[in-house]
Amino acid sequence: MGKRQIPDPPNFKKYGVPFYSVAWIPQHVVKSRQIETADESSDSDHSTSPATEAEKEPATVAGNYLLFAGGGGAGHSGIPNALVIAHFDVASNSLSDQPVCKLGTDSELPYRMALNSNGDGLICAMETPMVCRWFDWDQNKSSEIHKLSLKLSEKVLSQLEDVGQQLALAFNNDGTALAAGGEDGNLRVFKWPSMEIILNETNAHSSLKDLHFSSDGKLLASLGSGGPCKVWDVSSSMVLSSLSNENRETFSSCRFSQTNDETLILYIAAMTDKGGSILTWNTQTWERMASKHIIRDPISAFNVSADGKFLACGTPSGDIVVVNSTNMQIHTMIKKAHLGIVTALAFSPDSRAVASVSMDSSARVTIIEEKKTNGLSLWIALFIILLAVAAYFLRQEIEK
């Protein structure tokens, strides 16, 4: 008899689209759509009998929503290109079996995306053709249950037309600035939503692959392939520091974060001679503080939780590693979380969970459990200390 196939856990789902990007949809976006639905229901039901408490609840399911982006490209592979919204229920630790919304993008492959924190919508960098599209949040009213949805906006981002493939997109925390990094190494920063250019550096890198704003929006880190990580002062458009791969590391991702005492630091995920590592820089002196080897494989995806307590790494072999930033020790490791390369990671706004996606068309949400103190280990440690004390006094008595 053959082996029985082990069913996938409820927090792991395949939606038929190879994914390259993932983001948690801000709660206020979800709530605002729920209010709109509730108001419309109220207007249409004035002539009906009073609703019960259950009926007064908005039709959209409350909770956590995630947005995934990806596809099979412009060819005739039969694999769709799409933006996919799914619901995650924390109580049951499960992703929705079916997408809440699946917006096809025809032959255009959404490769990178950035959500505006103000709830304006999101920008997607398409791989084919090489353009950026803006999408608005919408409400799917075609069924009895009004669901959170998306639609292609009429807004045209002319400043990002005919500029080639954009490999990195990022909004600052308050949604007032947008950074875009091109395959050609061009770095652009715009005021949002006016799209007034703030910074335009044609030769920032040979090719630009990652961007991240500091929490106050004053600094921007840009990472190029085969070159240094540059830190920019956004207001002056000047380079504050160029962080070199002095030990011939290969940099892959960069993220600003804060320590427990609110000191701003910069993490860079890199491949060193030991394997996948995380490098840490002091943002006052721009000196390298530490280099911590995490895993043997390269780090294909990297992110930091909003509270700064956890770092997440994904690998080409599909593993997920969550690291405690305080001691840089592995907190959680899931081998073969995906069957293919982990392409993107995103922490939930409350830092309690991390979402991961892969080119194998899968999405997964991992809840980060608090590590409990092992009482047995504590008692063993105390016993050893007592033995050492007893041995010391015994030796003192013998010497007398």
Coordinates of all heavy atoms in Angstrom, one line a residue, residues 309-360:
K309 N 10.7 43.1 17.2 CA 11.1 42.0 18.1 C 11.5 40.7 17.2 O 12.3 39.9 17.7 CB 10.0 41.5 19.0 CG 9.7 42.6 20.1 CD 8.5 42.1 21.0 CE 8.2 43.1 22.1 NZ 7.1 42.6 23.0
F310 N 11.0 40.6 16.0 CA 11.3 39.5 15.2 C 11.8 39.8 13.8 O 11.4 40.8 13.2 CB 10.1 38.6 15.1 CG 9.6 38.1 16.4 CD1 8.5 38.6 17.1 CD2 10.2 37.0 17.1 CE1 8.0 38.1 18.3 CE2 9.8 36.5 18.3 CZ 8.7 37.1 18.9
L311 N 12.7 38.9 13.3 CA 13.1 39.0 11.9 C 12.7 37.7 11.2 O 12.7 36.6 11.9 CB 14.6 39.1 11.8 CG 15.3 40.1 12.8 CD1 16.8 40.0 12.6 CD2 14.8 41.5 12.6
A312 N 12.3 37.8 10.0 CA 11.8 36.6 9.3 C 12.7 36.4 8.0 O 12.9 37.3 7.3 CB 10.4 36.6 8.9
C313 N 13.1 35.1 7.8 CA 13.9 34.8 6.6 C 13.2 33.6 5.9 O 12.7 32.7 6.5 CB 15.3 34.4 7.0 SG 16.2 35.5 8.0
G314 N 13.2 33.7 4.5 CA 12.7 32.6 3.7 C 13.9 32.1 2.9 O 14.8 32.9 2.5
T315 N 13.9 30.9 2.5 CA 15.0 30.3 1.7 C 14.5 29.7 0.4 O 13.3 29.5 0.1 CB 15.6 29.2 2.5 OG1 14.8 28.0 2.5 CG2 15.9 29.6 3.9
P316 N 15.5 29.5 -0.5 CA 15.1 28.9 -1.8 C 14.5 27.5 -1.7 O 13.8 27.0 -2.6 CB 16.4 28.9 -2.6 CG 17.3 30.0 -2.0 CD 16.9 29.9 -0.5
S317 N 14.8 26.8 -0.6 CA 14.3 25.4 -0.4 C 12.9 25.4 0.3 O 12.4 24.4 0.6 CB 15.3 24.6 0.4 OG 15.6 25.2 1.6
G318 N 12.4 26.6 0.5 CA 11.0 26.7 1.1 C 10.9 26.8 2.6 O 9.8 26.7 3.1
D319 N 12.1 27.0 3.3 CA 12.1 27.0 4.7 C 11.7 28.4 5.2 O 12.0 29.4 4.5 CB 13.4 26.7 5.3 CG 13.9 25.2 4.9 OD1 13.0 24.4 4.6 OD2 15.1 25.0 5.0
I320 N 11.1 28.5 6.4 CA 10.8 29.8 7.0 C 11.5 29.8 8.4 O 11.4 28.9 9.2 CB 9.3 30.0 7.3 CG1 8.5 30.0 6.0 CG2 9.0 31.3 8.0 CD1 8.8 31.1 5.0
V321 N 12.2 30.9 8.7 CA 13.0 31.0 9.9 C 12.6 32.4 10.6 O 12.7 33.4 9.9 CB 14.5 31.0 9.7 CG1 15.2 31.1 11.0 CG2 14.9 29.7 9.0
V322 N 12.1 32.3 11.8 CA 11.8 33.5 12.6 C 12.9 33.7 13.7 O 13.1 32.7 14.4 CB 10.4 33.5 13.2 CG1 10.1 34.7 14.0 CG2 9.3 33.3 12.1
V323 N 13.5 34.8 13.7 CA 14.6 35.1 14.6 C 14.2 36.1 15.7 O 13.6 37.1 15.3 CB 15.9 35.6 13.8 CG1 17.0 35.9 14.7 CG2 16.3 34.5 12.8
N324 N 14.6 35.9 16.9 CA 14.4 36.8 18.0 C 15.5 37.9 17.9 O 16.7 37.6 17.9 CB 14.5 36.1 19.3 CG 14.1 37.0 20.5 OD1 14.5 38.2 20.5 ND2 13.4 36.5 21.4
S325 N 15.1 39.2 17.7 CA 16.1 40.2 17.5 C 16.9 40.5 18.7 O 18.0 41.1 18.6 CB 15.4 41.5 17.0 OG 14.6 42.0 18.0
T326 N 16.4 40.2 19.9 CA 17.1 40.5 21.1 C 18.4 39.7 21.2 O 19.5 40.3 21.6 CB 16.2 40.2 22.4 OG1 15.0 41.0 22.3 CG2 17.0 40.6 23.6
N327 N 18.4 38.4 21.0 CA 19.5 37.6 21.1 C 20.0 37.0 19.8 O 21.0 36.2 19.7 CB 19.3 36.5 22.1 CG 18.1 35.6 21.8 OD1 17.6 35.6 20.7 ND2 17.5 35.0 22.8
M328 N 19.2 37.3 18.7 CA 19.5 36.8 17.3 C 19.6 35.3 17.3 O 20.3 34.7 16.5 CB 20.8 37.4 16.8 CG 20.8 38.9 16.6 SD 19.5 39.5 15.5 CE 20.2 39.0 13.9
Q329 N 18.7 34.6 18.1 CA 18.6 33.2 18.1 C 17.3 32.8 17.4 O 16.3 33.6 17.3 CB 18.5 32.6 19.5 CG 19.8 32.9 20.3 CD 21.0 32.2 19.7 OE1 21.0 31.0 19.4 NE2 22.1 33.0 19.6
I330 N 17.3 31.6 16.8 CA 16.1 31.2 16.0 C 15.0 30.9 17.0 O 15.1 30.2 18.0 CB 16.4 29.9 15.2 CG1 17.4 30.3 14.1 CG2 15.1 29.3 14.7 CD1 17.8 29.1 13.3
H331 N 13.8 31.6 16.8 CA 12.6 31.4 17.6 C 11.8 30.3 17.1 O 11.2 29.5 17.8 CB 11.9 32.8 17.6 CG 10.6 32.8 18.5 ND1 9.4 32.3 18.0 CD2 10.4 33.2 19.7 CE1 8.5 32.4 18.9 NE2 9.1 33.0 20.0
T332 N 11.6 30.3 15.7 CA 10.7 29.3 15.1 C 11.3 29.0 13.7 O 11.8 29.9 13.0 CB 9.3 29.9 14.9 OG1 8.7 30.3 16.1 CG2 8.4 28.8 14.2
M333 N 11.3 27.7 13.4 CA 11.8 27.3 12.1 C 10.9 26.2 11.5 O 10.5 25.3 12.2 CB 13.2 26.7 12.2 CG 13.8 26.3 10.8 SD 15.5 25.9 10.9 CE 15.9 25.8 9.2
I334 N 10.4 26.5 10.3 CA 9.5 25.5 9.6 C 10.2 25.1 8.4 O 10.3 25.8 7.4 CB 8.2 26.2 9.3 CG1 7.5 26.8 10.5 CG2 7.2 25.2 8.6 CD1 6.3 27.6 10.3
K335 N 10.6 23.8 8.4 CA 11.3 23.2 7.2 C 10.2 22.9 6.2 O 9.1 22.4 6.5 CB 12.0 21.9 7.7 CG 13.1 22.1 8.7 CD 14.3 22.8 8.1 CE 15.1 21.9 7.2 NZ 16.4 22.5 6.7
K336 N 10.6 23.2 4.9 CA 9.7 22.9 3.8 C 8.3 23.5 4.0 O 7.2 22.9 3.8 CB 9.5 21.4 3.6 CG 10.9 20.7 3.3 CD 11.5 21.2 2.0 CE 12.8 20.5 1.7 NZ 13.4 21.1 0.5
A337 N 8.3 24.8 4.5 CA 7.0 25.5 4.7 C 6.3 25.6 3.3 O 5.1 25.6 3.2 CB 7.2 26.8 5.3
H338 N 7.1 25.7 2.3 CA 6.7 25.8 0.9 C 7.5 24.8 0.1 O 8.6 24.4 0.5 CB 6.8 27.2 0.3 CG 6.0 28.2 1.0 ND1 4.8 28.6 0.7 CD2 6.4 29.0 2.1 CE1 4.3 29.5 1.5 NE2 5.3 29.8 2.4
L339 N 7.0 24.3 -1.0 CA 7.7 23.4 -1.9 C 8.7 24.1 -2.8 O 9.6 23.5 -3.3 CB 6.7 22.6 -2.7 CG 5.8 21.6 -1.9 CD1 4.8 20.9 -2.9 CD2 6.5 20.6 -1.1
G340 N 8.5 25.4 -3.0 CA 9.4 26.2 -3.8 C 10.0 27.3 -3.1 O 9.9 27.4 -1.9
I341 N 10.7 28.1 -3.8 CA 11.4 29.3 -3.2 C 10.5 30.2 -2.6 O 9.4 30.5 -3.1 CB 12.3 30.0 -4.3 CG1 13.0 31.2 -3.7 CG2 11.4 30.4 -5.5 CD1 14.0 31.9 -4.7
V342 N 10.8 30.7 -1.4 CA 10.0 31.7 -0.7 C 10.4 33.1 -1.3 O 11.5 33.5 -1.3 CB 10.4 31.7 0.8 CG1 9.5 32.8 1.5 CG2 10.1 30.4 1.4
T343 N 9.4 33.7 -1.9 CA 9.6 34.9 -2.7 C 9.3 36.2 -1.9 O 9.9 37.3 -2.2 CB 8.7 34.9 -3.9 OG1 7.4 34.6 -3.6 CG2 9.2 33.9 -4.9
A344 N 8.5 36.1 -0.9 CA 8.2 37.3 -0.1 C 7.7 37.0 1.3 O 7.0 35.9 1.5 CB 7.2 38.2 -0.8
L345 N 7.9 37.9 2.2 CA 7.4 37.7 3.6 C 6.8 39.0 4.1 O 7.2 40.1 3.7 CB 8.5 37.3 4.6 CG 9.3 36.0 4.3 CD1 10.6 36.0 5.0 CD2 8.4 34.9 4.9
A346 N 5.8 38.9 5.0 CA 5.2 40.1 5.5 C 4.6 39.8 6.9 O 3.9 38.9 7.1 CB 4.0 40.7 4.6
F347 N 5.0 40.6 7.9 CA 4.5 40.5 9.3 C 3.1 41.2 9.4 O 2.9 42.2 8.7 CB 5.4 41.1 10.3 CG 6.6 40.2 10.7 CD1 7.8 40.3 10.0 CD2 6.5 39.3 11.7 CE1 8.9 39.6 10.4 CE2 7.5 38.5 12.1 CZ 8.7 38.6 11.4
S348 N 2.3 40.6 10.2 CA 1.0 41.3 10.5 C 1.2 42.6 11.2 O 2.3 42.7 11.9 CB 0.1 40.4 11.3 OG 0.7 40.0 12.5
P349 N 0.3 43.5 11.2 CA 0.5 44.8 11.8 C 0.8 44.7 13.3 O 1.5 45.5 13.9 CB -0.8 45.6 11.6 CG -1.3 45.0 10.3 CD -0.9 43.6 10.3
D350 N 0.2 43.6 14.0 CA 0.4 43.5 15.4 C 1.7 42.6 15.7 O 1.9 42.3 16.9 CB -0.8 42.8 16.1 CG -1.2 41.5 15.5 OD1 -0.4 40.9 14.7 OD2 -2.2 40.9 15.9
S351 N 2.4 42.2 14.7 CA 3.6 41.4 14.8 C 3.4 40.0 15.4 O 4.4 39.4 15.8 CB 4.7 42.2 15.7 OG 4.9 43.5 15.2
R352 N 2.2 39.5 15.4 CA 1.9 38.2 15.9 C 2.0 37.1 14.9 O 1.9 35.9 15.3 CB 0.5 38.2 16.5 CG 0.4 39.0 17.8 CD -1.1 39.0 18.3 NE -1.6 37.6 18.5 CZ -2.8 37.3 18.5 NH1 -3.8 38.2 18.2 NH2 -3.2 36.0 18.7
A353 N 2.0 37.4 13.6 CA 2.1 36.4 12.6 C 2.9 36.9 11.4 O 3.1 38.1 11.2 CB 0.6 36.1 12.1
V354 N 3.4 36.0 10.6 CA 4.1 36.3 9.4 C 3.6 35.5 8.3 O 3.3 34.3 8.4 CB 5.6 36.0 9.6 CG1 5.9 34.6 9.9 CG2 6.4 36.5 8.4
A355 N 3.3 36.2 7.1 CA 2.8 35.6 5.9 C 3.9 35.3 5.0 O 4.8 36.2 4.8 CB 1.7 36.4 5.3
S356 N 3.9 34.2 4.3 CA 4.9 33.9 3.3 C 4.3 33.4 2.0 O 3.2 32.8 2.1 CB 5.9 32.8 3.9 OG 5.1 31.7 4.3
V357 N 4.9 33.6 0.9 CA 4.4 33.2 -0.4 C 5.5 32.6 -1.2 O 6.7 32.8 -0.9 CB 3.7 34.3 -1.2 CG1 2.5 34.8 -0.5 CG2 4.7 35.5 -1.4
S358 N 5.1 31.8 -2.2 CA 6.1 31.1 -3.0 C 5.7 31.0 -4.5 O 4.5 31.1 -4.8 CB 6.3 29.6 -2.4 OG 7.1 28.8 -3.3
M359 N 6.7 30.7 -5.3 CA 6.4 30.4 -6.7 C 5.6 29.2 -6.9 O 5.2 28.9 -8.1 CB 7.7 30.4 -7.5 CG 8.3 31.8 -7.7 SD 9.8 31.8 -8.7 CE 9.2 31.2 -10.3
D360 N 5.5 28.3 -5.9 CA 4.7 27.1 -6.0 C 3.2 27.4 -5.9 O 2.4 26.4 -5.8 CB 5.1 26.0 -5.1 CG 4.8 26.4 -3.6 OD1 4.3 27.5 -3.4 OD2 5.2 25.6 -2.7

